[in-house]
Amino acid sequence: MDRLVNTVRPYAWGSTTAIPELLGVRPTGEPQAEMWMGAHPGAPSRVDRGTGPVALSEVIAADPEGELGADAVSLFGPRLPFLLKVLAAASPLSLQVHPDLEQAKEGYADEEERGVPADAPHRNYKDANHKPELICALTPFNGLCGFRDPNEAAELLAALEVDSLKPYVDILHAHPESHALREVLTAVLTADPEAMTETVRQAAAAAERLGALDGPHAPAYAAYASIAQHYPGDPGVIAAMLLNFVTLQPGEALYLGAGVPHAYLDGLGVELMANSDNVLRCGLTPKHVDVPELLRVVRFESAAPAVLRPEADPSGEELYTTPIGEFRLSRHVLADGAAPRPLPAVGPQILLCASGEVSLRGADGELRLTRGQSAFVPAGEEAVLGGDGTVFRATVTA
């Protein structure tokens, strides 16, 4: 097992204080958005097995079956199939959606065949993999997830009393669900930019007024007004109003599968995802928005956000159940003096201490992890977890 040295990514939307507080270090004053734990080539964690720091990606590449296990290599190839992050949002991230595996393979192959440069700003597919993800809140965490019922979305837009939104309201009331959502999203994203800027301005002012009143949608209106402050004139502000607003309490999570439009707004959380960079953006960003490809990927169906709560097994491990194999997230809430917990020696594991102080004992010694520290346990290596704190465990589905 190895202690991980991780990279913090300084994206503009990141909090200046949340990750430093987690790590117990002084803030630099710069945004610190994501701490990556894993072997993603963009910012692999580093380990030291006695010869100096080495990227975890290089360690795995040198012995994939030894580090990941034969089953994981057979299923997902010779790389760590997941990426674990701490995500600290102080302002909204882009509104986005992820392709399914077939769409990713097709899109990647098409762009490769057409010779689209890998670093081209209009490139959609960086790899041939899908990107399901799970976000688990460490603090109250606000986000947008999935389409609202079209009639509810229509009522929400109508209450803004903005004339240029009335055609969208009529479509949402008059059409079957999938057609209504598709037609409105297409109209919003292809509207005349100057006219849409004015629509967003009026809608934001109305949302700010309604967000200050009592009512079932007041938190959502307040969130939309805040989004518009960060992205004035962006059509994604109106697209966001088609989506469910959700607040996760600490320990609650959301699973985001293929085709589900979503955006994280603010809060600190643990994020686990398939090891991919494939994102189709719907707005709230200066980056490229490929509307035709987006419409191919989005699933136009409404559903209330399925908030996940951990389910404990007899060992005390609390699992967040998801329908995929590339990753599995669970947590251990440990109390001082309680019996140590053996960890199954199946696939590769990354352990993140989210609070307190814990110990990780294996055949080659012991690691002590304090808040914000993490470790990698290779496949087949037995380890025992103890101490007083909360630990998130990322691995593959057995």
Side-chain angles (χ1 to χ4, degrees):
M1 57 189 176
D2 305 275
R3 185 183 302 277
L4 295 179
V5 178
N6 305 306
T7 297
V8 175
R9 309 305 294 264
Y11 305 135
W13 48 262
S15 168
T16 59
T17 59
I19 288 179
E21 182 180 343
L22 179 74
L23 298 176
V25 300
R26 186 183 299 276
T28 65
E30 298 297 320
Q32 298 191 24
E34 296 180 348
M35 182 173 74
W36 289 20
M37 292 159 282
H40 190 286
S45 300
R46 298 172 300 285
V47 301
D48 189 341
R49 294 185 175 177
T51 59
V54 180
L56 182 59
S57 53
E58 295 180 20
V59 171
I60 291 172
D63 184 11
E65 289 199 2
E67 302 294 335
L68 305 177
D71 288 345
V73 172
S74 174
L75 287 170
F76 310 116
R79 65 174 191 163
L80 188 67
F82 59 81
L83 175 64
L84 183 66
K85 298 180 181 180
V86 173
L87 183 147
S91 60
L93 284 66
S94 63
L95 186 60
Q96 58 188 250
V97 67
H98 304 305
D100 63 27
L101 189 56
E102 182 177 352
Q103 290 166 340
K105 289 178 178 178
E106 291 176 354
Y108 180 76
D110 173 67
E111 290 184 329
E112 286 288 283
E113 184 178 347
R114 291 190 287 115
V116 180
D119 58 353
H122 62 282
R123 175 133 187 175
N124 294 314
Y125 296 94
K126 308 297 185 184
D127 53 67
N129 198 16
H130 62 167
K131 192 185 178 185
E133 62 190 40
L134 178 74
I135 185 76
C136 179
L138 294 177
T139 66
F141 193 99
N142 293 317
L144 305 172
C145 176
F147 286 110
R148 294 178 179 272
D149 178 273
N151 289 315
E152 183 182 321
E155 292 172 8
L156 188 145
L157 291 177
L160 297 171
E161 298 182 335
V162 174
D163 286 345
S164 54
L165 293 178
K166 290 179 180 178
Y168 304 153
V169 172
D170 293 340
I171 293 169
L172 290 168
H173 277 313
H175 287 64
E177 175 176 290
S178 61
H179 296 289
L181 294 171
R182 175 183 286 272
E183 189 170 341
V184 171
L185 182 64
T186 303
V188 167
L189 296 181
T190 59
D192 174 74
E194 186 174 340
M196 180 53 66
T197 296
E198 178 59 19
T199 295
V200 171
R201 186 192 67 78
Q202 294 181 32
E208 184 174 9
R209 173 177 53 82
L210 294 171
L213 303 175
D214 290 332
H217 294 307
Y221 282 125
Y224 301 139
S226 176
I227 291 169
Q229 289 179 354
H230 292 285
Y231 298 98
D234 192 305
V237 175
I238 306 302
M241 295 182 180
L242 302 174
L243 307 185
N244 298 293
F245 173 75
V246 60
T247 298
L248 300 177
Q249 296 304 319
E252 294 180 335
L254 278 177
Y255 171 72
L256 298 160
V260 178
H262 62 277
Y264 301 145
L265 303 181
D266 59 81
L268 181 69
V270 173
E271 186 180 31
L272 184 58
M273 62 183 63
N275 204 356
S276 171
D277 286 327
N278 287 327
V279 174
L280 281 298
R281 292 177 176 84
C282 316
L284 309 183
T285 178
K287 295 182 179 180
H288 178 61
V289 177
D290 185 334
V291 175
E293 186 64 17
L294 175 70
L295 297 177
R296 188 177 81 91
V297 169
V298 172
R299 295 182 179 177
F300 290 97
E301 54 189 36
S302 65
V307 176
L308 301 178
R309 297 173 180 84
E311 301 177 0
D313 67 14
S315 73
E317 182 179 42
E318 300 176 339
L319 175 65
Y320 295 90
T321 302
T322 57
I324 61 159
E326 283 93 333
F327 63 71
R328 176 187 188 275
L329 184 69
S330 60
R331 71 176 184 178
H332 289 267
V333 180
L334 304 164
D336 193 25
R341 296 183 184 175
L343 300 177
V346 283
Q349 306 177 62
I350 292 180
L351 303 171
L352 167 68
C353 180
S355 67
E357 181 175 349
V358 300
S359 65
L360 188 63
R361 290 189 289 106
D364 56 352
E366 180 180 29
L367 288 180
R368 299 197 70 81
L369 302 178
T370 58
R371 191 168 184 245
Q373 294 183 331
S374 56
F376 174 70
V377 181
E381 184 170 322
E382 295 183 354
V384 177
L385 189 61
D388 187 0
T390 299
V391 175
F392 285 88
R393 175 176 177 255
T395 186
V396 293
T397 299

